[in-house]
Amino acid sequence: MSQTTSNVYIQVIEDVITKVREEFTNNAGPGEGVLTELQSLWETKMMQAGAIVGPIDRSAVAKAMGPGAAGANTVHDLNVPYEGPDEYETPTADLLFPPTPLQTPMQTPLPAQTPLPGTAPTPLPGTVDSSYNIPTGGTPITPSEYSSIHENGTSVRQPNTYMQPPSPWIPQAQRPPLDVNVAYVEGREDPDRLAANQANQANQPTTQDFFLLSGKRKRDEFPPQFRPGGYIPQQDGAADVIADKVEVGQGSNSQPGHGPTFSSRIPQLDGPIPDPYDDALSTPNIYNYQGVVNEDYNVANTPAPQEMQAPTPAMINQNEDDDEDEPLNENDDDDDLDDVDQGEELNTQHLVLAQFDKVTRAKSRWRCTLKDGIMHINNKDVLFNKATGEFDF
Amino acid sequence: MATFELYRRSTIGMCLTETLDEMVSNGVLTPELAIQVLVQFDKSMTEALDSQVKSKVTIKGHLHTYRFCDNVWTFIVQDAIFKYDETQENVGQVKIVACDSKLLTQ
């Protein structure tokens, strides 16, 4: 870093600080201490960046620039900065952080209550305080408390709209076990209730999947349990009715959650279903895939109808078709990105910022005259008053 | 006096911007005051370059890209050679961004 550049930078800093001082020290301003902090931070960053050679120059320049102002600054350097930052930063930290924590606890208890199907509605309608009390102290909810809460919950119906309908069914049989993880409990006891709940709770399929997977049950045992709780029955039923209607209007990339779309794939699947599921059973990933997300399942099934046996290859084929187009575009983008990346590297490595007086071109010969420029080249800052450029294009 | 925000991308400008960002995010500074500081920097930097810097530079190289948009010339020069103060710097690729000097005088 050239000495001249460093000196100019120091003088610019001094000039800026001097000229904004009034804004800082007037009634509405944050005060001289903040200004001093600004200057010290700025200079520190400049020294770290190597743009200012050293503090010695700065002090020298500062003294040279204005003894009175420099003296005032040094006084403030000793006293104000330490108090100022501490006073400001501490409260600001408090101010900044609270919002996050506030939101977090709000959200946390809600989901915590949600798993408690019967109870969830109750705490929500009640005061916020009660909702907080329940999750913290009362994770284990005694049946009596639960029943009382539940009564309240029934009395106040608002949350029920948010909660799954199954809540009324569950409480009677499952109140005590629901304390911790409702989903798992339900999954275990579900066989009786699956038919009723399957339409209501989306979580159950997942629960079953994990349960079954963890149990490593054989395929023979699977179908009966899988069908009652799984997607298949819904698909089959819906497929028969809606499939024909839907196929006309909807594309292959239909959105998840739409029953019709879902079903549209199914009728074709009905034939192949046993095979895919056999494969699915043997392959955990696919199975989770199906159980957890409906969207993916739709996508996966979409190709399946086209080719009987293997949904996977079918899907690959389609993807390949899509990918064939995308890679071409991506490659084009990559070419552009290469330039962009290089440009970004330029921003950090070699950059000239200036004003132009004149830019001319004769055939492929470019000439430009620049003035008042800052160059950052090979990790050095160089200032110039005038510059001439000659480029061949 | 009109000013360019151009120089904020320089080392000194980036350091100032980072400093102001920190102080604003800490609540020490108001964004309005921070902007005032930046505007003052634009002026001070321009004045300093105009009055205190006397050096001259010549740049040669292969013009890879040129662009003139919103009165701003942008050149990407490859294999550039910078000569100044009897020194020479070779750069594989450099980006030159230049605003119209006439805009300042108007």
Side-chain angles (χ1 to χ4, degrees), chain A residues 64-102:
Chain A
M65 291 288 289
N73 285 338
T74 53
V75 172
H76 286 286
D77 286 343
L78 295 177
N79 295 330
V80 181
Y82 293 95
E83 295 177 356
D86 292 342
E87 291 179 356
Y88 284 105
E89 289 177 357
T90 306
T92 46
D94 294 341
L95 291 176
L96 292 176
F97 282 93
T100 308
L102 286 178

Side-chain angles (χ1 to χ4, degrees), chain A residues 58-258:
Chain A
R58 178 226 159 193
S59 62
V61 172
K63 291 177 182 177
M65 291 288 289
N73 285 338
T74 53
V75 172
H76 286 286
D77 286 343
L78 295 177
N79 295 330
V80 181
Y82 293 95
E83 295 177 356
D86 292 342
E87 291 179 356
Y88 284 105
E89 289 177 357
T90 306
T92 46
D94 294 341
L95 291 176
L96 292 176
F97 282 93
T100 308
L102 286 178
Q103 293 176 350
T104 306
M106 287 298 292
Q107 295 175 348
T108 306
L110 293 178
Q113 295 170 350
T114 307
L116 305 176
T119 58
T122 312
L124 289 178
T127 60
V128 177
D129 293 341
S130 65
S131 66
Y132 278 102
N133 292 337
I134 293 174
T136 38
T139 302
I141 297 175
T142 61
S144 62
E145 291 177 346
Y146 183 90
S147 61
S148 64
I149 294 172
H150 180 66
E151 291 176 356
N152 293 335
T154 54
S155 63
V156 180
R157 277 294 177 179
Q158 294 176 350
N160 286 342
T161 58
Y162 297 94
M163 293 303 295
Q164 303 92 339
S167 58
W169 312 49
I170 298 170
Q172 295 178 350
Q174 294 183 345
R175 286 179 185 176
L178 287 179
D179 292 343
V180 181
N181 294 328
V182 177
Y184 291 98
V185 176
E186 290 179 354
R188 293 173 186 172
E189 296 181 358
D190 271 341
D192 297 341
R193 224 173 295 102
L194 281 177
N197 288 340
Q198 55 179 274
N200 294 332
Q201 287 193 343
N203 292 337
Q204 288 187 349
T206 303
T207 305
Q208 288 181 345
D209 293 344
F210 287 111
F211 180 69
L212 293 174
L213 286 176
S214 62
K216 295 180 180 178
R217 296 195 177 184
K218 293 180 180 179
R219 168 198 159 205
D220 293 343
E221 297 177 355
F222 231 113
Q225 291 181 345
F226 182 79
R227 296 209 169 193
Y231 293 95
I232 302 170
Q234 297 176 345
Q235 296 172 352
D236 290 343
D240 293 342
V241 178
I242 305 174
D244 296 340
K245 299 176 182 177
V246 176
E247 285 178 352
V248 175
Q250 290 187 342
S252 60
N253 292 334
S254 58
Q255 292 299 320
H258 295 289

Side-chain angles (χ1 to χ4, degrees), chain B residues 16-30:
Chain B
L16 175 60
T17 304
E18 291 177 9
T19 300
L20 293 173
D21 281 346
E22 291 177 7
M23 296 180 73
V24 168
S25 62
N26 288 338
V28 182
L29 268 187
T30 62

Side-chain angles (χ1 to χ4, degrees), chain A residues 4 7-13 15-17 19-20 23-24 29-30 34-35 37-39 41-43 45-46 49 51 85 88-89 92-93 96 339 342-343 346-347 350-357 359 361 365-366 368 370-378 380-393, chain B residues 4 6-16 18-20 22-23 25-29 33 36-37 40-41 43-50 52-66 68 71-73 75-78 82 84 89-102 104-105:
Chain A
T4 54
N7 288 338
V8 171
Y9 280 166
I10 292 169
Q11 293 184 28
V12 169
I13 293 175
D15 191 45
V16 170
I17 297 299
K19 290 181 178 175
V20 299
E23 297 296 333
F24 278 73
V34 175
L35 182 63
E37 180 187 358
L38 167 62
Q39 182 175 4
L41 263 177
W42 189 4
E43 290 173 345
K45 289 180 181 297
M46 291 292 287
Y88 284 105
E89 289 177 357
T92 46
L96 292 176
D339 292 341
Q342 292 175 352
L346 291 177
N347 289 339
H350 311 297
L351 180 65
V352 176
L353 305 169
Q355 304 169 31
F356 69 85
D357 283 333
V359 176
R361 177 187 67 85
R365 193 81 174 166
W366 287 74
C368 61
L370 309 176
K371 63 175 254 185
D372 295 351
I374 302 176
M375 302 193 302
H376 186 71
I377 296 169
N378 292 334
K380 290 183 291 188
D381 275 21
V382 178
L383 310 180
F384 63 79
N385 177 251
K386 285 187 180 303
T388 58
E390 294 183 4
F391 317 126
D392 59 326
F393 180 72
Chain B
F4 291 137
L6 174 76
Y7 300 121
R8 296 181 190 179
R9 294 171 63 181
S10 64
T11 304
I12 184 173
M14 293 298 289
C15 289
L16 175 60
E18 291 177 9
T19 300
L20 293 173
E22 291 177 7
M23 296 180 73
S25 62
N26 288 338
V28 182
L29 268 187
L33 191 53
Q36 285 185 343
V37 175
Q40 181 56 51
F41 165 76
K43 296 178 182 176
S44 298
M45 191 70 234
T46 304
E47 290 174 359
L49 287 171
D50 191 46
Q52 300 184 28
V53 179
K54 302 300 179 188
S55 60
K56 295 186 178 180
V57 178
T58 61
I59 310 169
K60 293 185 179 181
H62 172 69
L63 185 59
H64 177 271
T65 303
Y66 60 87
F68 183 66
N71 287 313
V72 176
W73 272 107
F75 302 107
I76 293 178
V77 181
Q78 292 178 330
F82 292 79
Y84 58 92
E89 299 278 355
N90 295 324
V91 175
Q93 203 168 26
V94 63
K95 187 177 191 179
I96 300 173
V97 181
C99 298
D100 191 343
S101 63
K102 288 189 292 295
L104 275 192
T105 58

Side-chain angles (χ1 to χ4, degrees), chain A residues 302-319:
Chain A
T302 304
Q306 295 179 347
E307 293 188 5
M308 290 297 292
Q309 293 179 346
T312 308
M315 183 172 63
I316 291 175
N317 288 337
Q318 279 193 345
N319 287 339

